[in-house]
Amino acid sequence: MSDETGTTTGADGETGPGAAGGAGRRVRVVLVDDHRMFRTGVQAEIGRTDITGVEVVGEAADVDQAVTVITATRPEVVLLDVHLPGGGGVEVLRRCAGLMGAVEDPVRFLALSVSDAAEDVIGVIRGGARGYVTKTITGDDLVDSIFRVQEGDAVFSPRLAGFVLDAFASTDAPPVDEDLDRLTQREREVLRLIARGYAYKEVAKQLYISVKTVESHVSAVLRKLQLSNRHELTRWATARRLV
């Protein structure tokens, strides 16, 4: 993890794992990311409970696993990747809406993703996440962000907060991208993978669906976006920084 500093709405000025964990506070966390090595790295970075106050109580690599683990462990904070097999982070949020809305001990979500695309940020915030930080964040700032989300604050990496402010500046704010809003979450996942050069079989394996289903989604995407082939689709996605 490099040197990005997370920006938060909290006002007490505490930063770093010493400030978060040193006061005796504890937070139970679930890590949701489809890359095992990344989960291992985050666990090593923030999971030293005696120092950071963060206790990692579960991990998951796809949507179904995430919902199962979150429901079973009832963590205080979930670190959630945006792009996951099975429907993405937005689908996890949708299926955990009851846990987020619990009167007592609500589960709060902090998106942790490599993507800094506006539509990804706004999508998970609309879905109920309390914040969004990119994977360039430092371990110290990630720990601080987790504790702030636990306390109910909203937390964003520096330049991402502007996306949210722009999107929610008025109640009748237009969609970020009207063309993209025509696509379902699964169609967006297929679009990204195709645009990255994945073959249909590879997309099917990544998303745990059949090749025939991938073909159907690609056809739907091309029809909705009025594109002719995957080359035009790749150019369209690249122009919107979705790749």
Side-chain angles (χ1 to χ4, degrees), residues 63-91:
V63 170
D64 288 340
Q65 288 179 14
V67 174
T68 298
V69 172
I70 293 166
T71 301
T73 60
R74 291 295 295 263
E76 291 153 295
V77 177
V78 176
L79 287 181
L80 180 67
D81 193 12
V82 174
H83 303 142
L84 295 167
V90 171
E91 178 64 12

Side-chain angles (χ1 to χ4, degrees), residues 144-224:
D144 185 63
S145 297
I146 290 169
F147 273 97
R148 292 191 183 279
V149 166
Q150 178 198 26
E151 293 163 359
D153 286 346
V155 183
F156 298 93
S157 291
R159 78 183 205 87
L160 305 187
F163 296 154
V164 180
L165 291 173
D166 290 344
F168 294 92
S170 63
T171 56
D172 58 350
V176 176
D177 189 314
E178 291 183 1
D179 289 332
L180 195 62
D181 276 2
R182 296 191 184 101
L183 306 183
T184 66
Q185 183 64 31
R186 177 48 60 86
E187 288 169 350
R188 296 184 192 191
E189 291 177 335
V190 171
L191 179 151
R192 287 192 184 91
L193 292 174
I194 292 295
R196 290 170 184 168
Y198 284 66
Y200 284 6
K201 287 184 179 179
E202 294 171 320
V203 175
K205 184 178 179 180
Q206 282 278 326
L207 300 180
Y208 302 98
I209 57 179
S210 69
V211 173
K212 186 175 181 179
T213 301
V214 173
E215 293 172 349
S216 296
H217 284 313
V218 172
S219 295
V221 170
L222 293 175
R223 183 181 69 256
K224 290 179 180 181

Side-chain angles (χ1 to χ4, degrees), residues 107-130:
V107 177
R108 294 189 168 103
F109 287 78
L110 173 61
L112 175 62
S113 176
V114 69
S115 171
D116 61 359
E119 62 101 15
D120 283 336
V121 178
I122 295 166
V124 295
I125 297 304
R126 282 177 172 160
R130 294 294 304 173

Side-chain angles (χ1 to χ4, degrees), residues 38-55:
F38 179 77
R39 296 198 310 270
T40 300
V42 173
Q43 168 81 279
E45 185 79 14
I46 71 172
R48 298 163 293 163
T49 309
D50 57 333
I51 298 173
T52 64
V54 175
E55 179 187 2

